[in-house]
Each structure stands twice: as structure tokens, then as C-alpha cells.
């Protein structure tokens, strides 16, 4: 990622895989001082099972479900 909104020290970004109304966490990440972030993740089932992915701001260690509106969403 590049240039997402700044995070507080107790927040992280969380990537979600969307399967209809179901949200599956793919992990949490933060950006560096240059505004860049990287997350390598495993997909829990074939990627074709998911229709989109999204990023939310969450507590530092992530959440079991999204607690904020997505700041980025993309179709798969």
C-alpha cells in the first residue's frame, strides 16, 4: 500500500477477504515512515471463493470482524 491515512500508535490496518456478507481476516499491517506497507497473506480457501477485498483501520492487533468502514475496497 501507499499513502493510506495516518494511524494512531494503537491502530493497524487489517485486510479482509469478502465472501458475500462474510468477512475473513487476511492479517494486519502498518505503513513505514515513507507511507508504504506490505502484507503477505495466505488465502484460507481458493481465491475464486471471494468476490472482493477491503482494508479497515482497526486496533493494533486486529479485530475478529471489521469495526470501521473500509478505506479501500477492490473486486477480485
Amino acid at each position: 500500500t501507499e499513502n493510506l491515512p495516518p494511524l494512531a500508535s494503537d491502530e493497524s490496518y487489517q485486510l479482509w477477504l469478502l465472501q458475500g456478507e462474510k468477512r475473513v481476516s487476511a492479517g494486519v499491517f502498518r505503513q513505514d515512515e515513507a507511507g508504504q506497507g506490505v502484507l503477505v497473506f495466505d488465502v484460507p480457501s481458493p481465491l475464486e471463493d471471494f468476490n472482493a477485498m477491503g482494508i479497515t483501520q482497526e486496533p493494533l492487533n486486529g479485530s475478529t470482524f471489521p469495526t470501521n468502514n473500509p478505506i479501500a475496497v477492490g473486486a477480485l
Side-chain angles (χ1 to χ4, degrees), residues 4-71:
L4 293 176
L7 293 170
S9 61
D10 62 346
E11 294 179 313
S12 63
Y13 290 110
Q14 191 161 358
L15 177 66
W16 301 94
L17 301 172
L18 288 67
Q19 192 176 40
E21 294 299 313
K22 184 178 176 182
R23 306 300 187 249
V24 177
S25 176
V28 296
F29 65 98
R30 292 184 54 87
Q31 295 188 125
D32 62 19
E33 299 79 28
Q36 297 180 342
V38 175
L39 174 65
V40 177
F41 61 95
D42 290 320
V43 181
S45 62
L47 197 55
E48 300 83 41
D49 290 350
F50 300 96
N51 56 316
M53 58 189 344
I55 298 172
T56 58
Q57 283 180 247
E58 299 295 341
L60 187 60
N61 295 318
S63 299
T64 57
F65 58 89
T67 62
N68 290 296
N69 291 327
I71 58 171

